[in-house]
Amino acid sequence: MAAQPEGTAVLVNVLNRVMRYAVGLGVGASFLQTSLYTVDGGERAVIFDRFRGVLEESVTEGTHFRVPWVQTPHIFDIRTRAKTISSVTGTKDLQMVNMSLRILSKPNEGRLSHIFKNLGLDWEDRVLPSIGNEVVKATVAQFNAEQLLTQRDKVSQAVMKSLLARASDFGIVLEDIAITHLSFGAEFTKAVEQKQVAEQDAERSKFVVLKAEQERAAAVIRAEGESEAARLISDATKTFGPGLIELRRIEAAKDVAETLSRSRGVVYLPSGGNMLLNINAGQ
């Protein structure tokens, strides 16, 4: 009977030790879990320290250690991303234009702590729309509406140059800027259409004038040819008599006879011109 209480005491002692170890392991595992963090590929971490503030050096990819409660990692995506910005502004000749830009941007890896302190993790939405509209309005105001169409590359280069300078002030890197949409107001569009119609009418009128000039030149050449032919015939008549004219008359009559012989319903008229076929010719 005395052995049973001793066995119970040993079992209780073992269970207490197991629970103590389990609690210790749980606390250790929880501490280890909260002390480690992972930075994936294409990301960087900015550490906020409760005693020192935002640390200047960013953390690269991999699994890293931090002091729980004291340090908090903030993950930045440093991969290039696309954003579209639309702006309605006026040109130099006071025409309204709607322009859309596609911007490829990413944060400057060396200035992540500056971006986090001044802009936060949503730096893209805070900066790009404002500087994009500002640059578009300032650039478009330097060009006429027609120049925006004929000098689109020049406009795109001017927008890119200004945006690169403004974005660098915030620690943002712009890799590409492209004008994806460009449209004008209804009045300007109507004016362009009217101009195109007027240009087409002018080209059509020019063609009509050119055609008339060519026809007139052809008529002059034809008249000169006929005059020369008449002169040659006249000279030939004077030299050789009326035989040439008689020959041409016989040839013409022959052609007429051949044509009539191939036609149906031919009516032959008497040579005297009497339509009644010489009936009562003696009267």
Side-chain angles (χ1 to χ4, degrees):
M1 297 296 293
Q4 185 174 359
E6 291 180 358
T8 303
V10 171
L11 181 60
V12 171
N13 189 20
V14 171
L15 292 176
N16 289 334
R17 289 183 179 181
V18 170
M19 291 179 61
R20 196 178 301 119
Y21 291 146
V23 171
L25 288 175
V27 172
S30 177
F31 179 80
L32 184 63
Q33 183 179 3
T34 55
S35 300
L36 298 177
Y37 66 96
T38 300
V39 179
D40 295 329
E43 296 179 343
R44 295 292 184 272
V46 174
I47 303 300
F48 171 73
D49 192 290
R50 292 182 181 273
F51 301 105
R52 294 179 294 171
V54 178
L55 303 184
E56 291 296 328
E57 294 293 331
S58 60
V59 182
T60 59
E61 296 96 336
T63 301
H64 306 274
F65 177 80
R66 71 183 179 93
V67 179
W69 186 81
V70 176
Q71 294 180 334
T72 303
H74 297 275
I75 306 299
F76 269 87
D77 187 351
I78 61 170
R79 289 168 290 194
T80 302
R81 77 281 308 273
K83 187 174 184 63
T84 301
I85 298 174
S86 297
S87 178
V88 178
T89 183
T91 61
K92 188 177 180 180
D93 53 353
L94 303 181
Q95 297 293 337
M96 298 305 297
V97 57
N98 184 6
M99 180 181 292
S100 296
L101 299 179
R102 186 199 53 137
I103 302 176
L104 297 181
S105 63
K106 66 178 182 179
N108 189 337
E109 188 175 345
R111 301 184 63 185
L112 291 179
S113 59
H114 170 80
I115 295 174
F116 179 73
K117 287 188 290 187
N118 293 277
L119 302 175
L121 295 175
D122 56 345
W123 54 270
E124 182 182 16
D125 295 328
R126 288 175 177 266
V127 175
L128 293 183
S130 60
I131 66 174
N133 279 280
E134 174 189 350
V135 168
V136 167
K137 292 179 184 297
T139 304
V140 171
Q142 302 174 10
F143 296 88
N144 295 328
E146 185 177 355
Q147 292 175 330
L148 293 179
L149 297 174
T150 59
Q151 303 179 16
R152 186 162 180 166
D153 291 340
K154 184 177 180 180
V155 176
S156 180
Q157 291 296 327
V159 171
M160 177 179 292
K161 183 179 179 181
S162 300
L163 266 181
L164 287 174
R166 294 288 289 121
S168 63
D169 297 337
F170 298 93
I172 299 174
V173 178
L174 302 183
E175 295 189 345
D176 184 62
I177 301 170
I179 299 176
T180 57
H181 177 72
L182 185 64
S183 62
F184 296 90
E187 294 182 357
F188 180 77
T189 303
K190 184 178 180 180
V192 171
E193 293 176 353
Q194 292 176 349
K195 181 180 178 181
Q196 292 177 346
V197 171
E199 290 177 351
Q200 292 175 358
D201 291 341
E203 290 294 330
R204 189 179 298 108
S205 300
K206 187 185 299 183
F207 172 76
V208 171
V209 171
L210 182 60
K211 181 180 179 181
E213 291 179 351
Q214 291 177 349
E215 290 178 350
R216 183 176 61 184
V220 171
I221 295 174
R222 190 182 305 110
E224 291 177 351
E226 292 176 354
S227 176
E228 182 66 19
R231 187 185 63 82
L232 292 176
I233 293 174
S234 178
D235 292 343
T237 303
K238 290 179 181 179
T239 304
F240 303 102
L244 180 61
I245 298 176
E246 189 64 25
L247 177 62
R248 291 286 186 266
R249 186 180 300 170
I250 294 172
E251 291 177 351
K254 182 180 177 182
D255 293 338
V256 171
E258 290 180 355
T259 302
L260 291 176
S261 65
R262 292 193 298 268
S263 301
R264 296 181 179 180
V266 177
V267 177
Y268 293 93
L269 300 179
S271 60
N274 191 344
M275 300 298 296
L276 298 178
L277 299 179
N278 291 329
I279 297 177
N280 298 327
Q283 292 178 0

